[in-house]
Amino acid sequence: MPRDERPPGSSPTLTPSDGAALTLLREGDLSIVGPLPRASNSTYLAKVRGGGEEALAVYKPRDGEAPLWDFPPGTLCRREVAAYVVARSLGWPRVPPTVLRGGPEGPGSVQLFVEFDPNEHYFTLAERIPDEFQNVALFDAVVNNADRKSGHCLLGTDGEVFVIDHGVCFHEQPKLRTVIWDFVGEPIPEDLRTDLGALERNLAADPFRGRLERLLTSAEIDAMARRVTALVTSGRFPEPGPGRPYPWPVV
């Protein structure tokens, strides 16, 4: 899944850190601006309006998801939302606000569009801001991201790094495929390890677990809890494998 690109048009009036974004995404009037190019699933640039606010969003309808042999049909949009929920619990990385809702092409995920520099991605940023990607690497290990391409790491026009495209995460079986293997075997920074411990506790109890159970199966949540426990126990960034460790294409 290539990174989302937007044709020229109006800019969003909300920022990714704006708490009003979730309300607008959930309740605003959603209209399609046009399809986004080079996406393997139906992916649209959309406009959301409501309460005097408007924003651009990326709309991925469930019925436009291409069938995959290893993920249940019609679940990728829910995985997009679950990735946002987990990122919010951890406090990192920056996943744009994402909700599950109805739309012109049926129910799907709707994510706040982030203005970004199309010339920047993981391979151009890694040497300049390596520490920025420690939390991305850990997050991908937690959610079992099967498709972390370089182009899924965006440099926002506000100078912050955002990560997108999490539809093929949370499988029960190990499927971690990522371009970010820079930290293999290194100690996990203590602050990030503390955050992982908090997530471990959240996964074991409501209301957080109940929220995830509306998006993922219990088995998928249990598998994630085991991955988190393994990271907390080892205190180190994981090794590649089993299976193919890189996505294709890598950008």
Side-chain angles (χ1 to χ4, degrees):
M1 301 178 190
R3 58 186 164 163
D4 303 316
E5 296 181 9
R6 180 175 67 86
S10 60
S11 298
T13 58
L14 298 178
T15 68
S17 60
D18 193 331
L22 286 172
T23 299
L24 180 63
L25 292 174
R26 290 192 188 103
E27 302 175 5
D29 179 52
L30 181 69
S31 60
I32 292 175
V33 176
L36 288 167
R38 297 186 292 281
S40 55
N41 298 295
S42 296
T43 304
Y44 300 99
L45 179 72
K47 188 170 287 186
V48 192
R49 295 188 180 97
E53 299 280 5
E54 92 171 28
L56 292 174
V58 176
Y59 168 43
K60 297 182 178 181
R62 180 188 62 198
D63 292 345
E65 295 175 2
L68 298 173
W69 70 268
D70 52 349
F71 282 84
T75 67
L76 304 193
C77 58
R78 293 181 178 273
R79 297 171 195 277
E80 292 272 9
V81 180
Y84 172 69
V85 171
V86 172
R88 280 291 299 268
S89 177
L90 283 167
W92 43 264
R94 298 178 187 89
V95 176
T98 313
V99 303
L100 192 70
R101 59 161 290 175
E105 297 295 320
S109 63
V110 179
Q111 183 174 86
L112 188 70
F113 181 86
V114 173
E115 295 281 357
F116 66 96
D117 183 342
N119 297 311
E120 299 280 14
H121 50 87
Y122 171 70
F123 290 138
T124 68
L125 296 168
E127 290 188 1
R128 287 153 45 194
I129 47 174
D131 291 350
E132 189 72 31
F133 293 100
Q134 286 186 323
N135 57 26
V136 179
L138 278 179
F139 176 74
D140 288 340
V142 167
V143 303
N144 198 18
N145 192 346
D147 192 41
R148 173 63 74 207
K149 294 181 173 68
S150 180
H152 295 169
C153 303
L154 310 180
L155 182 64
T157 54
D158 60 358
E160 303 286 2
V161 172
F162 293 87
V163 288
I164 60 169
D165 279 352
H166 298 107
V168 287
C169 293
F170 300 105
H171 201 284
E172 295 173 50
Q173 301 300 318
K175 287 186 176 289
L176 181 58
R177 293 191 286 269
T178 174
V179 295
I180 309 175
W181 290 111
D182 308 59
F183 311 106
V184 169
E186 293 184 9
I188 297 172
E190 194 58 37
D191 57 336
L192 300 185
R193 194 174 178 185
T194 297
D195 294 337
L196 289 170
L199 176 62
E200 183 180 30
R201 293 187 293 275
N202 282 341
L203 288 169
D206 286 332
F208 184 74
R209 185 181 175 95
R211 186 179 180 190
L212 282 179
E213 285 178 339
R214 294 193 288 271
L215 302 167
L216 305 170
T217 68
S218 292
E220 288 168 339
I221 298 170
D222 290 341
M224 175 167 50
R226 290 192 294 271
R227 292 191 297 270
V228 174
T229 297
L231 289 168
V232 172
T233 301
S234 72
R236 293 187 176 276
F237 286 85
E239 302 276 343
R244 174 169 58 90
Y246 292 99
W248 188 260
V250 294
V251 176

